[in-house]
């Protein structure tokens, strides 16, 4: 059984806004969501990075306490975008609870805020700390906290997939959800990813000398994917979700179709845990094209992973150049908001859907002078009013995981 | 700690921690207020703080049969008396 899979709803909470109108305004006006890092009592004074992609606006979390009690900030984000997508999809409550709707959702490691408090309690009270660990602390901090808070809050009883593969988490969520619907294992899948404000993640990348530090006093000028002056990634927060279902069911119930997923691939470099690998990238891109049964020249637009690290952007550019040359338009959307970790693939997918719908391509922000090592691909440096028919969203993660997701504009 | 003090402190905990305001003395907390096993564990933690003591495993197990506000007050009263 192979069924066509479409996206019938999408939503995102990002450093550059919440939902279609705010996000497209930022993308078309070149507004950055990168701000100075907030001081905390643990790490900010110990890391060199001084910026963060920050969600600094109010979000009306109005879940009842019985649902809220097991949510850390990351699950709040996840449940909010899930709520918006469920509402926008128009799926009936009886279908939502039927067992034929599943959830594919993840974060990089649950709620680090809650984990930090657990360890603070452990080590701050001379052995008396153990009993102070709350009954819900694990439920808030476990790696599948986003997925199961969504299922509990909305009564979803279908299959649960909770990928936790760092930067490829939510591309995998969408890809695995696509496969579940395509092959008849579910009739619809709510897919996405989330991550919360977290300075421990900053510390991880800071320690690897991968964080941007040259623009601490001018946050909006970093990250700078593909630019000669790029100096590393900026950690960010956010969440995004999409609803996937079969083309037939979407048509039957008259649901809005935002795009069709026509291909997905995932592989591993089989080697180094950190270094980007051109062979792995080109292989996953080719596998994605093969899955979609299209030629490389059918791709109009590439949402590059483009974290703005020196090596990552150069290797990714080589991979794009090898397969596509300079024909497709290429944007590094992290330039607007930093690297939202587990959420990035889903956020970049939602942004691509918005651009498809509205007929524009956002430029890579802060790309003033293309690094020679990143040249030879179709960099977009100014806002373009143009149609995207087929787009590829590519993401690469620590551990050598690579993903390519291909979506097509509705017919 | 006398019964009235215990009752008022538990009412405050219910209000602040569980968003349950003035539950009936003999209402089934699970049925009527959705007070589940996770909440029960959280309540035991609050009781430890309230009595400034650490409950034994057996004492905690006994609490798992409690269903009503009145039974909670009985339970805390008993713990308080045991600890002088």
């Amino acid at each position: 059984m192979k069924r066509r899979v479409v996206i019938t709803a999408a939503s995102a909470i990002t450093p550059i806004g919440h939902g279609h109108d705010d996000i497209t305004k930022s993308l078309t006006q070149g507004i950055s969501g990168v701000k100075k890092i907030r001081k905390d009592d643990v790490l900010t004074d110990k890391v060199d990075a001084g910026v963060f992609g920050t969600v600094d606006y109010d979000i009306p979390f109005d879940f009842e306490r019985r649902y809220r009690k097991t949510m850390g900030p990351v699950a709040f984000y996840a449940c909010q975008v899930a709520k918006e997508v469920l509402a926008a999809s128009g799926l009936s409550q009886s279908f939502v609870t039927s067992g034929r709707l599943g959830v594919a959702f993840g974060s990089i490691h649950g709620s680090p805020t809650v984990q930090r408090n657990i360890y603070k309690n452990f080590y701050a009270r001379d052995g008396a700390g153990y009993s102070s660990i709350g009954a819900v602390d694990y439920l808030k901090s476990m790696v599948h906290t986003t997925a199961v808070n969504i299922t509990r809050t909305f009564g979803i009883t279908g299959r649960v997939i909770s990928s936790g593969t760092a930067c490829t988490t939510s591309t995998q969520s969408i890809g695995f959800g696509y496969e579940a619907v395509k092959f008849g294992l579910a009739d619809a899948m709510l897919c996405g990813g989330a991550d919360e404000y977290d300075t421990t993640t900053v510390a991880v990348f800071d320690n690897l000398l991968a964080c941007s530090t040259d623009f601490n006093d001018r946050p909006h000028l970093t990250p700078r994917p593909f630019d000669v002056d790029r100096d590393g990634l900026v950690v960010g927060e956010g969440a995004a979700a999409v609803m996937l279902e079969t083309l037939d069911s979407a048509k039957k119930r008259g649901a809005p179709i935002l795009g069709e997923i026509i291909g997905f691939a995932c592989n591993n470099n089989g080697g180094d845990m950190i270094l980007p690998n051109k062979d792995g990238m080109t292989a996953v891109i080719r596998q994605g094209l093969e899955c979609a049964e299209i030629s490389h020249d059918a791709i109009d637009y590439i949402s590059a992973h483009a974290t703005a690290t020196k090596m990552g952007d150069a290797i990714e550019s080589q991979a794009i150049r090898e397969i596509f040359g300079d024909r497709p338009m290429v944007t590094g959307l992290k330039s607007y908001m930093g690297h939202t970790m587990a959420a990035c693939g889903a956020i970049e997918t939602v942004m691509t859907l918005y651009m498809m719908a509205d007929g524009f391509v956002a430029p890579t922000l802060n790309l003033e002078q293309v690094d020679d090592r990143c040249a030879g691909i179709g960099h977009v440096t100014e806002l373009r009013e143009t149609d995207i028919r087929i787009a590829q969203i590519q993401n690469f993660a620590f551990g050598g995981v690579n993903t390519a997701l291909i979506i097509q504009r509705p017919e | 700690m006398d019964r009235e003090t215990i009752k008022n402190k538990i009412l405050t905990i219910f209000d602040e921690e569980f968003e349950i305001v003035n539950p009936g003395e003999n209402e089934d907390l699970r049925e009527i207020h959705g007070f589940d096993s996770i909440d029960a564990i959280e309540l035991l933690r609050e009781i430890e703080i309230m009595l400034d003591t650490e409950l034994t495993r057996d004492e905690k197990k006994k609490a798992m049969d409690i269903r009503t506000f009145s039974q909670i007050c009985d339970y805390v009263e008993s713990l308080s008396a045991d600890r002088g």
Side-chain angles (χ1 to χ4, degrees):
Chain A
M1 178 191 285
K2 278 190 185 180
R3 308 190 294 183
R4 290 175 68 179
V5 181
V6 295
I7 301 168
T8 52
S11 186
I13 294 170
T14 78
I16 59 168
H18 181 186
H20 172 274
D21 293 352
D22 291 346
I23 291 171
T24 52
K25 180 183 171 191
S26 296
L27 290 175
T28 54
Q29 297 184 7
I31 297 169
S32 168
V34 176
K35 308 281 167 56
K36 287 196 174 185
I37 202 166
R38 285 197 294 259
K39 290 286 180 190
D40 69 10
D41 58 351
V42 182
L43 284 167
T44 46
D45 290 337
K46 297 186 173 76
V47 295
D48 295 323
V51 293
F52 199 99
T54 308
V55 174
D56 61 354
Y57 48 84
D58 291 333
I59 299 167
F61 297 117
D62 54 0
F63 301 106
E64 293 176 38
R65 182 193 167 271
R66 63 188 164 131
Y67 302 123
R68 280 197 332 265
K69 69 186 177 188
T70 54
M71 297 179 193
V74 69
F76 271 124
Y77 280 163
C79 288
Q80 182 63 29
V81 290
K83 178 182 172 183
E84 290 161 5
V85 160
L86 282 165
S89 73
L91 289 166
S92 68
Q93 185 60 24
S94 61
F95 175 78
V96 167
T97 57
S98 69
R100 294 301 297 169
L101 169 67
V103 171
F105 222 100
S107 60
I108 57 172
H109 45 82
S111 173
T113 308
V114 174
Q115 288 162 359
R116 184 156 49 190
N117 287 336
I118 290 172
Y119 287 113
K120 277 172 77 174
N121 283 331
F122 256 133
Y123 295 113
R125 298 173 61 182
D126 296 327
Y130 180 75
S131 65
S132 68
I133 292 176
V136 292
D137 285 353
Y138 176 67
L139 301 174
K140 292 177 178 177
S141 61
M142 60 193 183
V143 76
H144 59 310
T145 187
T146 54
V148 294
N149 270 290
I150 290 170
T151 58
R152 170 169 158 72
T153 301
F154 302 105
I156 298 169
T157 55
R159 64 174 37 213
V160 172
I161 302 168
S162 193
S163 163
T165 56
C167 320
T168 49
T169 294
S170 58
T171 328
Q172 283 195 329
S173 296
I174 298 172
F176 295 158
Y178 157 71
E179 291 171 344
V181 176
K182 179 179 181 178
F183 297 115
L185 305 173
D187 289 333
M189 290 291 291
L190 199 170
C191 309
D195 261 315
E196 68 191 52
Y197 198 98
D198 173 33
T199 48
T200 54
T201 308
V202 177
V204 168
F205 288 99
D206 197 81
N207 186 48
L208 295 169
L209 306 178
C211 278
S212 172
T213 58
D214 291 348
F215 301 89
N216 286 349
D217 57 342
R218 296 161 292 162
H220 63 287
L221 295 181
T222 191
R224 308 173 66 86
F226 307 119
D227 188 83
V228 70
D229 291 329
R230 70 191 184 281
D231 71 324
L233 63 81
V234 173
V235 178
E237 63 179 328
V242 293
M243 180 64 76
L244 310 185
E245 61 182 292
T246 65
L247 174 64
D248 287 346
S249 73
K251 277 184 171 172
K252 198 170 176 180
R253 64 190 193 86
I257 296 174
L258 308 180
E260 178 175 1
I261 300 184
I262 58 172
F264 171 69
C266 173
N267 73 354
N268 191 270
N269 296 331
D272 196 279
M273 297 282 269
I274 294 175
L275 294 177
N277 180 306
K278 185 170 75 96
D279 291 342
M281 291 178 185
T282 52
V284 83
I285 291 168
R286 288 195 171 98
Q287 289 161 13
L289 294 169
E290 191 177 324
C291 176
E293 298 179 344
I294 58 171
S295 162
H296 64 85
D297 55 11
I299 299 285
D300 300 314
Y301 171 74
I302 295 171
S303 166
H305 188 57
T307 60
T309 59
K310 289 282 185 196
M311 191 182 293
D313 287 8
I315 301 289
E316 183 173 12
S317 298
Q318 289 173 24
I320 292 171
R321 190 163 59 235
E322 181 173 315
I323 293 178
F324 298 99
D326 63 358
R327 205 196 72 80
M329 297 171 282
V330 178
T331 306
L333 292 167
K334 290 180 181 70
S335 57
Y336 291 81
M337 59 196 165
H339 191 336
T340 55
M341 299 290 139
C344 76
I347 287 177
E348 288 154 18
T349 299
V350 172
M351 288 179 172
T352 301
L353 290 169
Y354 291 163
M355 291 191 288
M356 256 183 186
D358 292 2
F360 75 94
V361 170
T364 299
L365 206 59
N366 301 320
L367 178 51
E368 294 174 5
Q369 184 183 345
V370 176
D371 183 347
D372 288 345
R373 291 170 295 176
C374 303
I377 62 174
H379 289 297
V380 179
T381 55
E382 290 181 339
L383 181 67
R384 284 192 205 173
E385 289 187 11
T386 185
D387 287 336
I388 304 172
R389 199 176 78 81
I390 301 181
Q392 174 171 291
I393 295 94
Q394 54 193 45
N395 295 103
F396 315 113
F398 273 5
V401 184
N402 308 305
T403 56
L405 181 74
I406 302 177
I407 57 177
Q408 179 172 277
R409 196 178 59 196
E411 292 164 352
Chain B
M1 199 180 294
D2 63 35
R3 176 86 179 188
E4 198 59 25
T5 306
I6 291 169
K7 186 178 164 185
N8 288 334
K9 283 179 182 264
I10 300 289
L11 280 173
T12 301
I13 291 169
F14 264 67
D15 186 0
E16 292 179 353
E17 301 298 326
F18 305 113
E19 296 178 11
I20 299 172
V21 180
N22 288 323
E25 294 250 339
N26 295 304
E27 286 175 354
D28 187 312
L29 292 169
R30 173 182 275 273
E31 291 294 320
I32 296 175
H33 299 286
F35 188 88
D36 60 17
S37 57
I38 292 172
D39 294 324
I41 299 292
E42 291 286 288
L43 177 61
L44 288 174
R45 183 182 174 195
E46 294 297 326
I47 289 170
E48 286 184 323
I49 294 168
M50 183 175 124
L51 298 178
D52 192 23
T53 188
E54 193 166 332
L55 301 181
T56 66
R57 191 174 183 82
D58 284 342
E59 285 173 330
K60 287 179 178 175
K61 280 184 176 174
K62 280 180 194 166
M64 292 300 111
D65 294 328
I66 291 173
R67 290 289 175 270
T68 68
F69 184 83
S70 176
Q71 288 171 333
I72 292 171
C73 293
D74 292 344
Y75 176 71
V76 176
E77 199 170 15
S78 168
L79 292 172
S80 180
D82 287 348
R83 283 156 173 78

